[in-house]
Amino acid sequence: MSSEEKRSWIYVVVSAGVAAVYFVIVLSKVPGADVARIAYVRPMLIAIGAGIGLGIVATIAAAIASPREAGRADERDRQIHRLGEYVGFYVMSIAAIVPLALAMAEAAHFWIANALYLAFVLAALASSIAKIVLYRRGF
């Protein structure tokens, strides 16, 4: 497994795990509550920071575990990365319609912010999963 494929796996696990924890914590407060009073900003910022931090730490750990492969990328890796980023871009472009529609409908900031965060998570997952599929099924 190349270092680029390992990074994709790390990104899937970290982004899915952090987002799942965030949504369980925040959305568990929604039933019977006024969403305008739910404190979501700090947990969202913590989730974003934790995702970035855990991704960096896990990538460094993977590089230390197999130093010969670290940072080594060939033309295939670059093309897979490019195609995966295209997939993430298109998913983000489509998913961003939801928070835009919520803003136009003057929904609560809570729903707009969480829809936008979910759009970013979906884009990251789609990009990484596309890269993994391209590595596994061939390019």
Side-chain angles (χ1 to χ4, degrees):
M1 181 182 310
S2 72
S3 63
E4 297 300 319
E5 184 179 358
K6 286 179 188 175
R7 283 187 194 149
S8 296
W9 278 105
I10 289 168
Y11 209 48
V12 165
V13 171
V14 169
S15 55
V18 170
V21 169
Y22 167 77
F23 283 119
V24 165
I25 290 171
V26 172
L27 295 181
S28 67
K29 299 174 184 177
V30 171
D34 178 18
V35 293
R37 300 202 183 273
I38 295 176
Y40 68 91
V41 175
R42 178 176 274 168
M44 186 181 289
L45 292 174
I46 290 170
I48 292 168
I52 293 169
L54 288 171
I56 290 170
V57 168
T59 301
I60 291 171
I64 291 171
S66 55
R68 287 180 287 158
E69 297 174 7
R72 209 181 266 181
D74 59 9
E75 184 61 30
R76 178 177 177 254
D77 290 324
R78 286 187 284 279
Q79 288 181 343
I80 288 173
H81 178 76
R82 182 179 50 85
L83 289 174
E85 293 301 310
Y86 283 160
V87 169
F89 169 78
Y90 289 121
V91 169
M92 182 64 198
S93 298
I94 293 167
I97 293 170
V98 174
L100 181 63
L102 289 171
M104 289 177 180
E106 297 181 7
H109 290 138
F110 174 85
W111 294 116
I112 297 168
N114 281 290
L116 189 57
Y117 179 61
L118 180 60
F120 280 116
V121 170
L122 292 175
L125 289 173
S127 175
S128 295
I129 290 169
K131 291 174 189 177
I132 292 168
V133 168
L134 288 169
Y135 275 112
R136 294 293 169 166
R137 298 230 172 133
F139 173 71

